[in-house]
Amino acid sequence: MSLKIALLLSLAAQSAALADDAPPPVTSAPSQKTTVSVPLLAWPEITREARPWSYWWWLGSAVDTTNITRELTRYRDAGWGGVHIIPIYGAKGWEDRYLNYLSPEWMAMLRHTVEQANRLGLGVDMTTGSGWCFGGPAVTESEANAVVTPRNFEVSAGSRLDLRVDPSKLQALMAFGPDYQAVNLMEVLRGDGTTDWVAPAGDWRVTAVSQEPSGRKVKRAAPGGAGHMLNLFYEPAMVNYLRVFSRAFDAYDGPRLRSMYHDSYEYVSNWSPDLLEQFARRRGYRLERELPALFNSEVSERAARVQCDFRETLSDLMVESTLPRWVEWCHDRGMLTRNQAHGSPGNLLDLYALADIPETEMFHTDRNRLVSKLASSAAHVTGRRLVAAETGTWLKEHFTETLADMKYLLDDLFLSGVNHVIYHGTCYSPDEAPWPGWLFYASYEMNPRNPIWHDVPALNEYVARCQSMLQSGEPDADVLLYWPIHEFWQQSGALEQKFTVHAREWLEAQPFGRVAEQLWQRGYDFDYISDRQLQEAKVAGGNLQLPGGSYRTVVVPHCRVIPVATFRQLLSLADGGATIIFDSRVPQDVPGWGRLDVRRAELRALRENLTFAEGPKPGLLTAVVGAGRVLVGELEPAMETAGIARESLVDHEGLSLRRRRFGGGWHYFLANRGEQEFEGWLALARPGRAVIVMDPMTGRVGCGKWRDGSTGRPYSVFLRLLPGESLILRVLESSPGDLGPDWPIHEPAGEPSSIDGPWEVQFLQGGPESPARIITERLASWTDLGDVEARRFAGTAVYSTRFNAPEGDQSCWCLDLGEVRQSARILLNGRDLGTCLIPPFRVEVENLKTTGNELEIEVTNVAANRIRDLDRRKVAWRTFHDINFVNIDYKPFDASGWPLTPSGLLGPVRLIPLAPRPAP
């Protein structure tokens, strides 16, 4: 590193320039990262955090101790780990049981809930409010989410300003004339809201700035919880809001909740009472003097830069002022925090990082794993162990959602780094309420009244096994992908630019998003990092060290602007031995307006002292900086030059992975999200010596066929992955010798044999009435088998038959159920062979009896036909206040016109002889 650049780095680091000071680091609870040691052939311990949790809506808070205990017991028995209480609007006809939110009676029900949950081994979270978002009756108009209301008045030269305003509401009164002249009229404003100001030469515009509540109230509020949403840009508003909870919880002597929760950002707000002062303190100039640029709808560089500073200030106010007060309040009372940052106009990485448990969501078809990676990246970089997800919101239309639909969503979340699923969800519903009980309109209806509940325990065991792995060890990404958020902030548009999971132009239409997609598609494991988080990075042994782990390089996407503090830190990391990669080119300019010439000069000085040379690959430039280097050019050659290995398994269509490090190797979560079966050698980027294959759906474990790379071929495992299937690989750094049985892979060894029946169909549980027992030679939807009750039945039926083994000495078979609507639990000769949730519905069986094999298949359908029947008979079951119950398009729900949904075992059921599949 040259003496000159070292001096520049040193002097720049000491600069007291306010407008470009590096943002202070996010602070929160101590790291939750743990290293878990597990036996090589065993699953980790299944803790309550490893099991799925669920949102638990209390309608009208009309809860009682008997039903609370009954409901919690059912959840525990099905394999849940905890619940999240959200009080919302109530059910009609139950008003006499409503409890006001945070009243002594409500707090008594909370105490009973936590006591019973602890007894059952469950955890309890709650929202710091009712419905969503933060807000309620104690929020005053001055503390409510607010919008700026600028008013403009044209004044010609020599004219007196004819204006009367309310001084108590006025925040700025500025006159703007030719050549950016600005006069602060607040200095001459009288107490009655008038002024004697006379315009000098030229045409002048006077702008009066005030704010008003946006009108956005708490959504779906519970009794006692209605009111304005809070202003998240105004620290006093948060402090006063939390006093309500202090009064309630200071008098609460029950066991602690695990955590408090803040829902996704649905506030309508862009201003606060002290925003102008906060802006000046953070950006180093007065926003009042730039009101024409701030409110300018025309595209100009000055407007874009001022608006960038404004948006950064909104972000800072949430990250540094308001939400930290909530986190501190929770920590002071021994509770953790869960936060959904998405939807906010702030830097999502910094906002997620504030929480002990960052939380993302995927909504209906709005699924982009790269969006959900923002939450997991914040956790990984800062050392948080858990990454939560709101899971199942509007997955499909009500009463048509299957466990297979949920399983596929879960895999997408696991691939994005989530390891703490929170189902969305279930309602408390007293047993006295007629079917389908109390419901929430945006829910998956994951409740004991839904017929799918019969097989929910199998899904929950799948979740628990996956999450036990994904919560152990630590992340193993090689790459930090810098988010150049100022590039997006510095563009004309709405004052607040929201980063939502729905409209994703902020990611997908930006070079940042395109680089993320390229890294994902090419198999490079990465975490995002913000400007603020980057300031925490150190270098050791050429690797970048952060509270959450170690990384090999930082990639900076193509961007035009970058803060000086960030660029300085990147060069400092390179000086310490790190490799920094700039995609395509080095940024040319700085963002924002304050001290623009000074900051441009600082950036230019740092840039000019980078001396680049060609190579080592065509189109790639390299600059040596101290013990490290800076690479500029095409991304993939730069990654190869930096020695970053990619996971080539993603080249197989549909295959994706999530990798984590543990004490003796690596865990790979693999999922086939494509439509084709994969079979063959699967290369891995990590240099293992042995591999254990683990099936989280069944719990089976075996030693995989492994190539250790000694012959020059890549480290590889021989696998078969069916569409929709997922496996976990435990890749070991050293071979411990004989680990036990091999992982079986079979192939067909002959022609299939049909199991033709006759079939006895007995309806086990469900409603509204159980159809009569059916004996049939043909398999078809039970809606087509002649019983009128079967056409409206939702629940479980068992299909039973006896069969003889096909001739021959075959010992291993595939039992293929054909088409199943929607899930199946299989018993053969009294032995439970497992539950099938996704197609193909198959299990392997061994040692059939020569004659008289007894096969029982419990098949469960969805609730569609039963709810269709209620609507055809015009039964009043949608009896809720507020929005009541709507369909996926937010129109009144009506299933009366639905066709019958096929249900049951449709077959054909076959036995396919199997033989071991030798690895090629």
Side-chain angles (χ1 to χ4, degrees):
M1 184 180 186
S2 71
L3 179 62
K4 186 175 180 181
I5 195 170
L7 181 59
L8 281 166
L9 282 169
S10 176
L11 291 174
Q14 299 174 41
S15 173
L18 179 61
D20 198 58
D21 272 354
V26 175
T27 58
S28 189
S31 168
Q32 299 181 56
K33 184 181 69 176
T34 59
T35 300
V36 179
S37 176
V38 296
L40 295 180
L41 285 177
W43 295 90
E45 177 188 2
I46 303 300
T47 65
R48 72 178 190 181
E49 268 72 30
R51 295 192 178 279
W53 289 40
S54 179
Y55 289 78
W56 193 26
W57 294 284
W58 284 8
L59 272 68
S61 298
V63 298
D64 63 70
T65 57
T66 299
N67 279 296
I68 284 173
T69 301
R70 184 185 292 135
E71 293 267 270
L72 290 173
T73 302
R74 290 166 177 161
Y75 304 153
R76 187 277 312 274
D77 292 347
W80 285 7
V83 292
H84 167 189
I85 298 168
I86 306 179
I88 58 172
Y89 55 85
K92 296 176 182 177
W94 297 78
E95 288 82 357
D96 61 337
R97 298 196 188 185
Y98 289 0
L99 301 177
N100 276 341
Y101 182 54
L102 297 184
S103 66
E105 296 79 11
W106 194 95
M107 296 299 292
M109 289 299 102
L110 177 66
R111 174 177 179 164
H112 176 79
T113 298
V114 183
E115 287 175 344
Q116 292 301 303
N118 287 350
R119 179 181 64 83
L120 294 165
L122 300 172
V124 181
D125 293 352
M126 69 171 275
T127 301
T128 317
S130 78
W132 68 93
C133 302
F134 284 4
V139 176
T140 65
E141 287 200 355
S142 65
E143 296 171 347
N145 54 176
V147 293
V148 64
T149 55
R151 291 186 298 156
N152 293 319
F153 307 90
E154 305 300 329
V155 185
S156 59
S159 298
R160 187 180 304 277
L161 176 61
D162 184 13
L163 173 70
R164 182 182 293 273
V165 297
D166 183 349
S168 67
K169 295 183 178 180
L170 191 67
Q171 296 184 19
L173 186 65
M174 296 292 298
F176 300 97
D179 301 322
Y180 295 105
Q181 295 180 73
V183 178
N184 185 356
L185 300 183
M186 294 290 283
E187 298 173 355
V188 295
L189 187 69
R190 297 193 187 99
D192 63 355
T194 62
T195 177
D196 285 333
W197 183 76
V198 176
D203 293 329
W204 289 74
R205 169 175 288 185
V206 173
T207 300
V209 176
S210 58
Q211 71 176 58
E212 62 183 24
S214 67
R216 176 60 60 90
K217 303 291 182 68
V218 174
K219 287 191 172 184
R220 319 308 176 209
H228 287 291
M229 283 189 190
L230 197 65
N231 191 329
L232 283 198
F233 308 130
Y234 189 41
E235 185 176 345
M238 179 65 79
V239 171
N240 290 335
Y241 178 69
L242 291 172
R243 289 193 176 115
V244 175
F245 293 87
S246 294
R247 287 193 292 271
F249 277 88
D250 287 349
Y252 172 78
D253 60 355
R256 282 199 304 259
L257 297 157
R258 182 190 69 158
S259 71
M260 283 282 185
Y261 170 80
H262 179 232
D263 211 328
S264 59
Y265 187 101
E266 294 189 29
Y267 305 90
V268 175
S269 192
N270 60 20
W271 207 261
S272 68
D274 63 349
L275 187 138
L276 293 171
E277 293 304 316
Q278 295 289 349
F279 183 96
R281 183 165 68 84
R282 286 170 165 81
R283 304 281 84 86
Y285 66 97
R286 301 298 305 189
L287 183 59
E288 296 94 318
R289 302 188 68 83
E290 297 295 337
L291 295 179
L294 179 66
F295 299 127
N296 188 1
S297 59
E298 299 178 2
V299 176
S300 72
E301 181 182 5
R302 185 169 185 156
R305 289 183 175 278
V306 171
Q307 290 167 9
C308 176
D309 284 340
F310 176 82
R311 292 161 186 152
E312 185 172 8
T313 300
L314 294 185
S315 181
D316 287 350
L317 289 172
M318 288 186 288
V319 173
E320 298 170 4
S321 297
T322 55
L323 287 172
R325 300 295 82 74
W326 169 65
V327 172
E328 291 165 5
W329 184 92
C330 294
H331 288 173
D332 287 346
R333 286 157 180 79
M335 294 180 287
L336 301 176
T337 55
R338 280 173 44 216
N339 182 38
Q340 291 191 354
H342 44 277
S344 161
N347 190 312
L348 299 189
L349 292 172
D350 294 337
L351 290 168
Y352 280 128
L354 284 172
D356 302 292
I357 308 174
E359 180 164 314
T360 184
E361 69 174 297
M362 291 183 178
F363 183 97
H364 187 37
T365 56
D366 285 337
R367 299 191 198 177
N368 187 322
R369 300 171 196 162
L370 298 179
V371 173
S372 291
K373 270 186 71 67
L374 287 157
S376 61
S377 293
H380 295 166
V381 166
T382 58
R384 308 288 191 265
R385 186 172 64 90
L386 298 179
V387 183
E390 176 185 316
T391 305
T393 307
W394 282 127
L395 187 54
K396 286 172 59 177
E397 185 57 271
H398 293 295
F399 310 110
T400 69
E401 298 141 319
T402 68
L403 295 177
D405 295 327
M406 180 61 82
K407 195 271 183 186
Y408 300 143
L409 171 63
L410 289 166
D411 287 351
D412 282 341
L413 290 168
F414 293 153
L415 291 168
S416 70
V418 167
N419 62 9
H420 188 39
V421 163
I422 317 286
Y423 290 136
H424 193 271
T426 190
C427 287
Y428 165 97
S429 186
D431 277 9
E432 308 93 274
W435 193 89
W438 294 357
L439 302 172
F440 178 61
Y441 70 93
S443 168
Y444 177 86
E445 314 306 351
M446 179 72 82
N447 64 61
R449 303 170 300 284
N450 192 331
I452 64 171
W453 191 258
H454 182 265
D455 289 332
V456 160
L459 181 69
N460 291 340
E461 285 302 306
Y462 171 77
V463 173
R465 292 189 187 105
C466 289
Q467 294 191 157
S468 70
M469 289 293 194
L470 296 172
Q471 291 174 12
S472 65
E474 59 187 43
D476 190 45
D478 292 314
V479 178
L480 290 167
L481 177 58
Y482 167 66
W483 185 12
I485 193 170
H486 297 83
E487 189 85 355
F488 186 78
W489 277 337
Q490 191 157 301
Q491 59 182 7
S492 296
L495 286 183
E496 73 281 20
Q497 297 285 334
K498 296 181 179 179
F499 303 104
T500 74
V501 298
H502 309 296
R504 299 187 294 270
E505 294 82 1
W506 58 270
L507 174 71
E508 296 168 349
Q510 300 294 313
F512 164 62
R514 290 192 285 271
V515 169
E517 182 69 24
Q518 181 181 356
L519 291 172
W520 180 278
Q521 294 296 337
R522 293 296 292 159
Y524 292 105
D525 202 355
F526 66 93
D527 284 319
Y528 304 119
I529 192 165
S530 70
D531 297 273
R532 190 183 306 266
Q533 292 161 355
L534 194 60
Q535 298 299 323
E536 294 290 289
K538 311 294 181 187
V539 182
N543 291 335
L544 295 132
Q545 304 295 325
L546 283 150
S550 176
Y551 297 84
R552 300 279 304 282
T553 190
V554 179
V555 171
V556 180
H558 177 88
C559 56
R560 187 175 57 87
V561 299
I562 191 170
V564 172
T566 300
F567 194 75
R568 179 191 309 137
Q569 172 69 349
L570 290 169
L571 293 188
S572 178
L573 294 172
D575 183 48
T579 296
I580 309 299
I581 297 173
F582 288 93
D583 179 38
S584 303
R585 68 173 191 174
V586 176
Q588 305 293 305
D589 204 349
V590 294
W593 181 249
R595 297 178 57 257
L596 181 58
D597 290 341
V598 173
R599 292 183 297 114
R600 277 176 164 169
E602 292 175 348
L603 181 68
R604 184 167 55 251
L606 293 171
R607 280 173 40 85
E608 288 176 352
N609 281 276
L610 289 172
T611 303
F612 288 101
E614 292 286 344
K617 292 182 178 294
L620 194 64
L621 299 176
T622 303
V624 175
V625 181
R629 57 185 171 171
V630 171
L631 305 177
V632 181
E634 293 184 12
L635 185 58
E636 194 140 359
M639 298 289 280
E640 293 173 2
T641 300
I644 310 298
R646 73 184 191 92
E647 294 284 2
S648 62
L649 66 86
V650 300
D651 296 342
H652 302 283
E653 185 176 359
L655 296 194
S656 290
L657 76 146
R658 171 63 39 224
R659 188 181 67 224
R660 290 182 69 87
R661 186 82 163 85
F662 72 96
W666 301 267
H667 285 138
Y668 281 73
F669 173 81
L670 301 179
N672 185 351
R673 296 294 285 116
E675 298 179 356
Q676 302 298 319
E677 174 183 310
F678 170 82
E679 182 181 293
W681 287 101
L682 204 59
L684 304 180
R686 292 303 187 245
R689 292 293 180 266
V691 63
I692 297 166
V693 183
M694 313 178 82
D695 182 353
M697 186 61 75
T698 65
R700 290 190 309 157
V701 176
C703 298
K705 297 180 176 68
W706 179 251
R707 290 173 174 168
D708 65 5
S710 58
T711 61
R713 295 176 296 191
Y715 298 92
S716 305
V717 59
F718 189 75
L719 285 180
R720 175 186 294 143
L721 267 175
L722 300 176
E725 189 178 15
S726 45
L727 294 171
I728 289 173
L729 304 182
R730 179 173 286 162
V731 180
L732 306 177
E733 285 184 295
S734 60
S735 177
D738 184 15
L739 286 170
D742 291 338
W743 178 256
I745 298 179
H746 294 99
E747 62 184 358
E751 293 300 315
S753 301
S754 296
I755 299 177
D756 296 324
W759 294 90
E760 177 185 4
V761 185
Q762 185 77 37
F763 293 87
L764 293 181
Q765 62 185 50
E769 302 292 339
S770 288
R773 182 173 67 100
I774 298 171
I775 304 294
T776 181
E777 295 287 343
R778 77 182 176 95
L779 290 175
S781 170
W782 68 51
T783 61
D784 298 333
L785 295 180
D787 190 309
V788 174
E789 286 296 337
R791 293 170 63 84
R792 60 179 185 155
F793 179 78
T796 301
V798 59
Y799 290 71
S800 305
T801 193
R802 295 170 68 90
F803 68 94
N804 298 331
E807 295 182 357
D809 58 357
Q810 185 71 32
S811 63
C812 187
W813 303 83
C814 170
L815 176 61
D816 185 346
L817 304 185
E819 187 176 0
V820 172
R821 297 297 184 94
Q822 294 295 333
S823 59
R825 186 184 300 177
I826 306 165
L827 292 92
L828 179 63
N829 298 326
R831 181 186 171 206
D832 188 345
L833 298 183
T835 302
C836 296
L837 305 180
I838 64 172
F841 295 91
R842 300 172 183 169
V843 294
E844 292 187 5
V845 300
E846 295 180 341
N847 303 319
L848 291 176
K849 297 193 295 186
T850 304
T851 60
N853 292 282
E854 298 181 3
L855 177 62
E856 296 175 285
I857 306 170
E858 296 178 10
V859 181
T860 302
N861 71 342
V862 294
N865 292 337
R866 186 172 180 181
I867 210 73
R868 170 184 181 270
D869 172 68
L870 288 183
D871 281 350
R872 286 167 66 88
R873 292 190 288 117
K874 301 189 184 304
V875 174
W877 61 271
R878 294 180 295 275
T879 55
F880 311 108
H881 287 291
D882 201 284
I883 196 173
N884 200 346
F885 197 81
V886 294
N887 67 17
I888 200 166
D889 297 317
Y890 281 78
K891 302 292 173 43
F893 182 93
D894 182 6
S896 62
W898 288 4
L900 284 170
T901 298
S903 303
L905 180 62
L906 280 62
V909 179
R910 304 181 302 161
L911 278 172
I912 304 169
L914 297 177
R917 167 76 161 91

